């Protein structure tokens, strides 16, 4: 019989116990924070009708290209969910008696047949919070505060970049961008931090925009004042979308300043978030140390999705935020490797003294130290290789002479300094 080639599907992976313990710690930390902010749990199906996931109020053309589709025995067109947002909007649309405002959280697997890179897979776990029924920017402010609170618990330094799609769309209108190319321009602008201004201008030219429109956008990109709200006031005076977007940003800033977190929340006038679903404030969360360049969380306001799903022109004020558990895990792992941090305080290597070494380890643990005892009967050279590889800060090599003298030597692996300690075996 032919031997089966065991391997994971590309873009998926197994997590062994040590890895899964860290992932579950992240999940518990996020879930505890969500509950602390008054969010209620929700569970939605992984399988959905393709029509739902591909509706005009869903993720947009770019994500639809990455959607996994299938048919069941009844030849119904189905799709695996690519996020938790549209399934949530469906729940609200199907349950009109839900009391508003409604704050929910959901943690679950989603699937995208997209590019694979550090922290980005094709099967991954999203951790989402959404608020329905709050038109004020207080909802955005609370979600941003919640994100900072969660990452503080995880001991991760992050910064939140934010913008407003109304302001961005209003500016592009003012620059005479054709309506049928608006979304393509937004997608190009969204890449500015990855590819730089020059490449953005090249790609804008390829969209066959007028010379004047490209010149106007270039002036916007290169202006030294484009992160000051005063820069946008003349455009807001002439354009209703820009006016609404600027007013929402000023309102949001009022909350962020009062909360004392403006240094962690930075206005980025070019942040676009390519998804067509967004209608107002948008934001992305980045590591301050930039170990991972892409965002580790994101979200925004999408007021038209729920009404659109039920065929209504009614607007449902909705804002959400999503955390990628897998990319957060990857970032934590990279930080751990970079810092060479090890949870063990002392590594004990017995040389014919296993019983006495176990006793010493027990006493040191009682004093609060985290101690690993070498029980694999390694030779001292192999054990010291392990000590160096795993970056144990302190090592004790315990032989019969040390036991006979009622003492042990504590070696600092960074400095090489040895300290003799008295101990009765």
């Amino acid at each position: 019989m032919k031997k089966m080639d065991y391997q994971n599907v590309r873009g998926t992976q197994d997590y062994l116990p040590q890895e899964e313990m860290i992932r579950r710690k992240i999940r518990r930390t996020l879930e505890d924070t969500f509950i602390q902010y008054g969010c209620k749990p929700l569970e939605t199906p992984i399988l959905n009708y393709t029509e739902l996931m591909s509706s005009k109020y869903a993720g947009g053309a770019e994500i639809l290209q990455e959607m996994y589709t299938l048919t069941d025995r009844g030849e119904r067109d189905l799709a695996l969910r690519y996020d938790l947002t549209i399934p949530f909007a469906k729940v609200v649309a199907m349950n009109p008696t839900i009391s508003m405002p409604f704050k929910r959280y959901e943690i679950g697997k989603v699937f995208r047949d997209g590019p694979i890179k550090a922290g980005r897979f094709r099967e991954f776990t999203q951790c989402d919070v959404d608020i329905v029924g709050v038109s004020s920017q207080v909802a955005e402010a609370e979600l941003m505060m919640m994100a900072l609170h969660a990452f503080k618990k995880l001991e991760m330094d992050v910064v939140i970049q934010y913008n407003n799609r109304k302001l961005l769309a209003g500016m592009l209108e003012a620059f005479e961008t054709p309506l049928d190319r608006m979304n393509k321009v937004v997608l190009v602008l969204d890449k500015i931090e990855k590819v730089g201004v020059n490449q953005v201008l090249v790609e804008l030219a390829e969209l066959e925009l007028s010379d004047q429109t490209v010149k106007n956008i270039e002036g916007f990109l290169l202006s030294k004042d484009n992160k000051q709200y005063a820069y946008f006031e003349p455009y807001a005076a002439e354009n209703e979308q820009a006016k609404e977007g600027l007013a929402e940003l000023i309102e949001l800033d009022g909350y962020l300043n009062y909360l004392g977190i403006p240094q962690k929340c930075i206005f980025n006038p070019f942040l676009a978030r390519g998804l067509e679903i967004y209608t107002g404030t948008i934001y992305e969360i980045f590591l301050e140390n930039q170990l991972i360049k892409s965002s580790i969380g994101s979200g925004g306001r999408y007021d038209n999705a729920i009404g659109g799903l039920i065929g209504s022109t009614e607007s449902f004020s909705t804002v959400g935020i999503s955390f990628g558990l897998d990319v957060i895990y990857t970032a934590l792992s990279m930080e751990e490797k970079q810092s060479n941090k090890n949870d063990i305080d002392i590594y004990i290597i017995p040389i014919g003294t296993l019983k006495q070494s176990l006793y010493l380890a027990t006493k040191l643990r009682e004093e609060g130290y985290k101690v690993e005892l070498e029980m694999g009967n390694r030779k001292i050279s192999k054990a010291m290789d392990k000590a160096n590889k795993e970056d144990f800060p302190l090592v004790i090599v315990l032989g019969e002479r040390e036991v006979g003298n009622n003492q042990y030597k504590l070696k600092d692996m960074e400095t090489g300094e040895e300290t003799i300690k008295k101990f009765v075996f």
Side-chain angles (χ1 to χ4, degrees), residues 268-314:
N268 177 355
F270 312 123
L271 182 69
R273 302 231 63 223
L275 303 186
E276 298 172 20
I277 189 174
Y278 292 113
T279 59
T281 300
I282 50 176
Y283 33 78
E284 293 193 345
I285 307 167
F286 296 91
L287 287 173
E288 283 194 352
N289 60 19
Q290 294 192 318
L291 278 176
I292 290 179
K293 302 289 186 182
S294 57
S295 65
I296 59 175
S298 58
R301 181 169 287 272
Y302 54 105
D303 289 349
N304 296 333
I306 296 172
L309 289 177
I310 60 177
S312 168
T313 57
E314 182 182 358

Side-chain angles (χ1 to χ4, degrees), residues 115-215:
I116 301 168
K117 56 183 178 179
R120 301 290 182 182
F121 307 103
R122 288 176 176 163
E123 176 190 64
F124 54 100
T125 302
Q126 281 191 337
C127 312
D128 282 20
V129 171
D130 291 88
I131 303 174
V132 185
V134 179
S135 58
S136 165
Q137 294 290 300
V138 69
E140 280 87 341
E142 179 166 78
L143 292 181
M144 292 165 79
M145 186 71 246
M146 183 187 71
L148 294 175
H149 191 180
F151 284 111
K152 184 177 181 180
K153 290 181 181 180
L154 292 169
E155 298 182 348
M156 300 176 72
D157 292 323
V158 300
V159 63
I160 301 176
Q161 294 186 14
Y162 65 95
N163 193 15
N164 191 288
R165 283 292 287 264
K166 291 178 185 175
L167 179 65
L168 183 59
M171 294 294 291
L172 294 177
E173 281 183 3
F175 297 151
E176 301 179 0
T177 305
L179 186 60
D180 62 345
R181 270 162 278 181
M182 189 76 73
N183 286 329
K184 291 182 179 179
V185 172
V186 167
L187 288 172
V188 171
L189 292 179
D190 201 36
K191 299 189 289 185
I192 189 167
E193 292 198 1
K194 297 177 184 177
V195 302
V197 173
N198 290 336
Q199 181 60 31
V200 164
L201 292 173
V202 169
E203 294 188 27
L204 288 175
E206 292 172 353
L207 295 178
E208 298 181 353
L209 303 173
S210 71
D211 291 342
Q212 186 60 49
T213 296
V214 173
K215 184 177 179 181

Side-chain angles (χ1 to χ4, degrees), residues 167 170-171 174 229-244 246-247:
L167 179 65
M171 294 294 291
Y229 291 152
Y231 173 85
F232 299 93
E233 288 175 357
Y235 299 97
E238 301 292 332
N239 183 281
E240 188 61 29
Q241 277 206 93
K243 181 180 179 181
E244 289 181 14
L246 183 59

Side-chain angles (χ1 to χ4, degrees), residues 80-108:
L80 302 182
R81 64 187 182 193
Y82 51 75
D83 69 11
L84 301 176
T85 302
I86 294 304
F88 164 68
K90 175 211 67 181
V91 169
V92 178
M94 290 175 60
N95 295 272
T97 59
I98 290 177
S99 178
M100 301 291 181
F102 178 47
K103 297 167 68 174
R104 86 82 162 90
Y105 76 89
E106 182 173 5
I107 299 175

